[in-house]
Amino acid sequence: MIVTYGFNAVLTAAPRLADQLVEVLLTGLDEGSPGASEHCVVYLVSRSASDPDVVHVTEGWTSEEEHHRIFAGEAAQAMVARIGALLAREPEYTDYVPVRGKAAF
C-alpha cells in the first residue's frame, strides 16, 4: 500500500506518566485499534532522547479520508481519551505528504 497522508505528533506527558503514555499508544497496534487498520501503513512510537516526558508518534495512511474515518470510530476515540488524560499540554502535529522512504521494523 502507498502512503499518501501522514503526520508526526509530539506528545508531552505529565510528569512521571510517559511510560504509561507509551503503553497506551502501543495499544494502537492491537487488533481493532487504529494502527492495526489496513489503511495505516506506518505507526511508530518513539521517545525523545533529550526529554523523558516527550513521546513522538509518526503515522502514515493510505489517505487522509481513511485516517479521519478510522479515528472517528469508537476504539480510536477511547484511545484518544486515555491519551488526553496523560498529557501535560496539547499535542503538536505536523502533517505531511510522504514522497518516498523505507520502513522496516
Side-chain angles (χ1 to χ4, degrees):
M1 293 203 157
I2 295 175
V3 176
T4 64
Y5 171 75
F7 66 89
N8 185 66
V10 179
L11 304 137
T12 303
R16 295 173 301 285
L17 294 180
D19 289 342
Q20 192 173 348
L21 175 60
V22 167
E23 288 177 27
V24 172
L25 287 165
L26 290 175
T27 68
L29 294 168
D30 294 346
E31 185 66 35
S33 294
S37 165
E38 66 181 334
H39 298 285
C40 182
V41 181
V42 176
Y43 188 88
L44 176 64
V45 177
S46 305
R47 298 290 292 264
S48 169
S50 61
D51 186 337
D53 294 329
V54 173
V55 178
H56 298 267
V57 180
T58 301
E59 295 185 25
W61 291 80
T62 57
S63 73
E64 185 173 1
E65 294 77 20
E66 287 299 332
H67 171 263
H68 292 304
R69 183 182 68 76
I70 297 293
F71 268 83
E74 188 177 313
Q77 289 302 304
M79 189 173 120
V80 168
R82 290 178 62 202
I83 290 167
L86 301 171
L87 299 180
R89 62 175 166 264
E90 289 294 314
E92 299 173 31
Y93 293 93
T94 303
D95 63 337
Y96 50 79
V97 177
V99 176
R100 188 170 181 199
K102 179 180 176 181
F105 300 99

